[in-house]
Structure formats: structure tokens, C-alpha cells
Amino acid sequence: MSTADSFQQHVLPTYARFPLAPVRGAGCRLWDENGKSHLDFCTGIAVCSLGHCHPRLVEAIREQAGNLLHCSNLYQIPQQAELAEEINTHHVKLPGKVFFSNSGAEANDGLIKAARRFGHHRPQADGSPRFEVITFQQSFHGRTLGSMSATGQAKIQQGFDPLLPGFRYLPFNDTVAIEAGIHPETAAVLLEPVQGEGGVHVATPEFLRAVAAVCKKHDLLLFFDEVQAGFGRCGDAMAWRMIAPEIQPDGISWAKGMGGGVPIGAFWLADRAIDEAGSALASLMGPGSHGSTYGGNPLVCAASLAVLREIREKELAAHALLMEVRIRETIRSWASPVITGVRGSGLLLGVGLDAALIAPADGKTAALVVVEKLMDKGLLVPAAGPETIRLLPPLNVTAAEIDEALEILRGVIGEF
Ligand SMILES: *Cc1c(COP(=O)(O)O)cnc(C)c1O
């Protein structure tokens, strides 16, 4: 049975999959089951930050697999402690504490639970708990019931109601709406500093500062979803620092690029006092409040440590900024009417497309038409909404690989 037939017969059809079956990867390249080589600027959707099968990551996994794969969070896991220290000291660079999950959605669920606990600890004037989390239109926070309810896109939620109550979706980058959108039951604000799935939209510094000011004024927790944008992807260890470096968030979620391909996510809570008695935010999530059997096991933590240390030691965030400039300058030099602009930060970039010039048919979006043509020519990229394709190469991509990918893109764009 072919892979496609086997899928059809045995796998739930939740994904609209392309007819491509990858079997091997190295760096920026991916080979399919027919032996065709592809330049991979999708990287498992910003997951393989070091490219495929980076030797340091492979070696860390091999070594850990030979020592201990899994034990339990009933015990102290040295790799987990080491990874949390790496994250706090070298990436967040603010005092705080980490919980390890297996995905981005679960990391956001953890932040939502922390907001609820905070709302109990700091209730409304009448003593009833605060519970609402403000999120934003076109956001994406995941597919679990909690993170899906947080997501400000109707298409993600359709047919799954009743949703988890307690979310309000405000327009992104609207400083007036955020001030007016706070209610007595509001406990937190959750946002992507760079919206990824929703079309690659970067928060403006004015907006981030307005949100931070509103949080301070109304005693709300400020959470950043850096699941896609974090750990070097946007040109700094943390994406919000590219926009408004002085802001100190209360919580952050990560996943995707932090494991380089192993399933790991995490959320972080700041070590800050949340009441007059000086109780720490982290104390709201005490023993028994949250858990995950796999979360932060020795294997994934050893892998993530290798990834984060490589990103830091090789200064891959700074490299991402250089490559961003190369991409922007090259695309600008084409002066193509098909391309409406390049948005994003570092190597989380969206190329906007003029749908009228692409004139998609058969119910396809302009982005899908371009993604399929690029795939045919050997370049893999994901779409982000109907009129944007994303460029998400590994953070260690070379200038020559960027040039090769852009040459393919130029050829495809030239067809319209
Ligand atoms: C991908 C993504 C998620 C969900 O992560 P999963 O690992 O798929 O659960 C959440 N937030 C953002 C910003 C994402 O890009």
C-alpha cells in the first residue's frame, strides 16, 4: 500500500496533507520517498531551528537515549533543572520559573491555568474570582480546548462549542481598544509579539507598551506566546525584546524551535510579588496544581539543552537578523507587483501576495497556489493565512541557501 493510501485508510483526516513523504533530512535539505531533494524553508513549521539532524542535537539525543529516556516528575530530573537554568540565565534573563510541557498548546493551557489561579488570589471587588484572559483577533494559541478557546479565529473553533468561557478577543495593534476592553473579571492578557499562523503580523512598540501599561494599571498578568517566535527565531533570544525590550512579562510560553524536533514546550512565570505580603507569582502553581507525565523528561531536556546552547554559542539570533536583511533587500530589488510586502522579524517572515494577480481557482487561496508551485520547484514553505507565504528556514541557514531559495521564489512569482 502506498503511503497516501495507507493514510487514507488508517489516519484521521484532520490535516490537508501535500502529496509528499519526507524520509531523510540534513541541514536545510529534505529528501522524499522518491529520492527528490527539497530546500526546506518550512522546517516543520519553525521547529527544526538547527536544520535537520544537526550533529550536536543528534549526539545529545543518542547519548541521553543510552543513559535514561524517561523517569518521572516524581523525581528530580537533572537535565530539566539544567535546561530551566539555561532558559532563565541566558534567554529570558529575568528571574522566573519554568514548567515543561510537550507542546505549545499545553504551554498556553498552563498560562491560562496560572491566570485563573491569579484571579482567585486577586479577586474582584465583590470577592468573586477574576478569570478572563484577553487575547487578540487572528491570534493562534493551539488546538486543545483551552488554547483553542484562547485563539481569536472562528475557523479554528467552528463546531466545537461550547468553548471554554473567559476569553475576549480584541483587535491586534489597537491601543485604544485595549484600554476600553478591560472588565472587572479580566485577569490577564495573552498575545503573540509576532503573530505567526494569523498571517505574520508584528506587534508595534506602541501597542506592546500600551498593553503593558494597561496590565500594570489594572493588576493583570502580561503573557507572551512565543511558541513560534521565541529562542532566536525573530532575531533576539526573546521576540518581545525586538519590539519593546524594557517590558518585563509575567509569563511566556514556548515550544516549536526550542526542541529542534523533539516534542517539548514550556511556560515560564516571573518571580515577582503579587500581593502586599510579597507572595511570588510562582507560588500560585504549587505541588499538585499542574502536571504532565512526559513533560520535561530526560530525553527531550537533553535535546533542548543542545539546541538552546547551539543557538546561544553560535549567536544564531544575530545571524537570523543578517539573513532577514538579505531576504528583504533581495525581494525589494525585484520590485514585483505580485509581492505586496515582507512582514515579520528575523527568520519569521511573511511574504504578502496580491491575490488579484495570482487569480487562484478551484477554491484555492493565493498562498496555496504559490506554495504548491514552490514545492514543485523544490522549495518547501508554509502558508500563513490566504495571502501570505512564510519563510522559516533554520536559524543557521547560509547566505547561499537563502539565495537559492529566493531564486526559486523569483521564478515562481515571475509566472504571474
Ligand atoms: C504552533 C503554535 C501554537 C501551538 O503549538 P502546538 O505545539 O502545535 O500545540 C501555539 N501558539 C503559537 C503562536 C503557535 O505558533
Side-chain angles (χ1 to χ4, degrees), residues 103-106 108 140-142 192 197 225 227-228 255-256:
S103 68
E106 284 173 78
N108 284 327
F140 182 77
H141 299 297
E192 296 158 87
E197 302 301 313
D225 177 344
V227 168
Q228 185 161 163
K256 295 201 166 87

Side-chain angles (χ1 to χ4, degrees), residues 26-43:
C28 227
R29 310 256 159 205
L30 198 62
W31 286 268
D32 67 26
E33 60 181 357
N34 302 320
K36 182 180 170 189
S37 150
H38 305 259
L39 196 51
D40 190 2
F41 274 42
C42 176
T43 54

Side-chain angles (χ1 to χ4, degrees), residues 20-373:
L20 174 78
V23 292
R24 189 166 70 83
C28 227
R29 310 256 159 205
L30 198 62
W31 286 268
D32 67 26
E33 60 181 357
N34 302 320
K36 182 180 170 189
S37 150
H38 305 259
L39 196 51
D40 190 2
F41 274 42
C42 176
T43 54
I45 312 190
V47 165
C48 308
S49 0
L50 304 182
H52 296 289
C53 300
H54 189 278
R56 185 170 182 177
L57 173 57
V58 171
E59 189 44 40
I61 293 172
R62 271 197 224 286
E63 192 187 331
Q64 190 57 48
N67 285 337
L68 183 65
L69 284 178
H70 181 81
C71 48
S72 166
N73 286 304
L74 290 171
Y75 312 111
Q76 302 194 359
I77 300 173
Q79 294 78 11
Q80 198 180 114
E82 218 179 328
L83 177 58
E85 188 181 341
E86 166 78 21
I87 290 172
N88 282 331
T89 309
H90 298 295
H91 300 267
V92 180
K93 298 175 208 158
L94 294 169
K97 296 195 170 55
V98 187
F99 176 92
F100 291 98
S101 64
N102 312 285
S103 68
E106 284 173 78
N108 284 327
D109 278 350
L111 288 181
I112 295 163
K113 284 179 73 172
R116 294 263 177 115
R117 279 262 160 128
F118 177 71
H120 278 260
H121 190 78
R122 307 280 293 168
Q124 303 181 42
D126 67 2
S128 58
R130 293 189 287 161
F131 57 86
E132 186 183 72
V133 178
I134 302 276
T135 64
F136 295 89
Q137 292 162 12
Q138 297 309 119
S139 60
F140 182 77
H141 299 297
R143 301 284 194 158
T144 59
L145 193 56
S147 61
M148 170 187 74
S149 301
T151 292
Q153 297 187 56
K155 71 169 192 204
I156 304 280
Q157 303 167 334
Q158 199 179 358
F160 293 116
D161 52 290
L163 299 175
L164 183 71
F167 295 96
R168 187 188 304 274
Y169 319 108
L170 297 182
F172 194 60
N173 274 339
D174 186 332
T175 53
V176 177
I178 183 71
E179 180 64 53
I182 307 305
H183 293 78
E185 64 271 24
T186 310
V189 178
L190 169 66
L191 70 94
E192 296 158 87
V194 180
Q195 286 189 339
E197 302 301 313
V200 189
H201 298 286
V202 183
T204 63
E206 302 75 53
F207 177 64
L208 273 200
R209 287 182 184 124
V211 171
V214 161
C215 287
K216 191 151 274 174
K217 179 172 162 197
H218 296 280
D219 188 25
L220 313 176
L221 298 180
L222 173 58
F223 292 159
F224 290 143
D225 177 344
E226 297 224 0
V227 168
Q228 185 161 163
F231 292 118
R233 174 61 54 188
C234 289
D236 192 304
M238 295 290 116
W240 95 80
R241 289 221 168 91
M242 290 300 299
I243 303 167
E246 77 283 6
I247 291 179
Q248 300 200 352
D250 298 307
I252 316 169
S253 55
W254 305 285
K256 295 201 166 87
M258 77 180 284
V262 301
I264 183 170
F267 73 93
W268 175 96
L269 292 177
D271 271 339
R272 80 148 163 100
I274 50 164
D275 58 26
E276 292 67 29
S279 323
L281 179 53
S283 71
L284 299 178
M285 301 300 284
S289 63
H290 198 46
S292 165
T293 299
Y294 287 138
N297 83 8
L299 182 75
V300 296
C301 286
S304 181
L305 255 178
V307 172
L308 298 192
R309 285 182 176 157
E310 180 72 10
I311 290 173
R312 170 165 59 88
E313 289 165 12
K314 299 287 162 62
E315 301 183 5
L316 295 183
H319 179 70
L321 283 184
L322 289 179
M323 295 300 105
E324 174 191 1
V325 171
R326 193 176 188 91
I327 291 171
R328 285 183 181 276
E329 285 181 352
T330 304
I331 291 182
R332 193 178 307 128
S333 75
W334 303 340
S336 165
V338 178
I339 293 177
T340 57
V342 176
R343 302 186 300 272
S345 184
L347 289 173
L348 201 181
L349 293 176
V351 180
L353 304 167
D354 187 329
L357 291 179
I358 290 169
D362 309 328
K364 286 183 184 174
T365 62
L368 183 58
V369 170
V370 172
V371 164
E372 285 180 341
K373 281 185 181 284

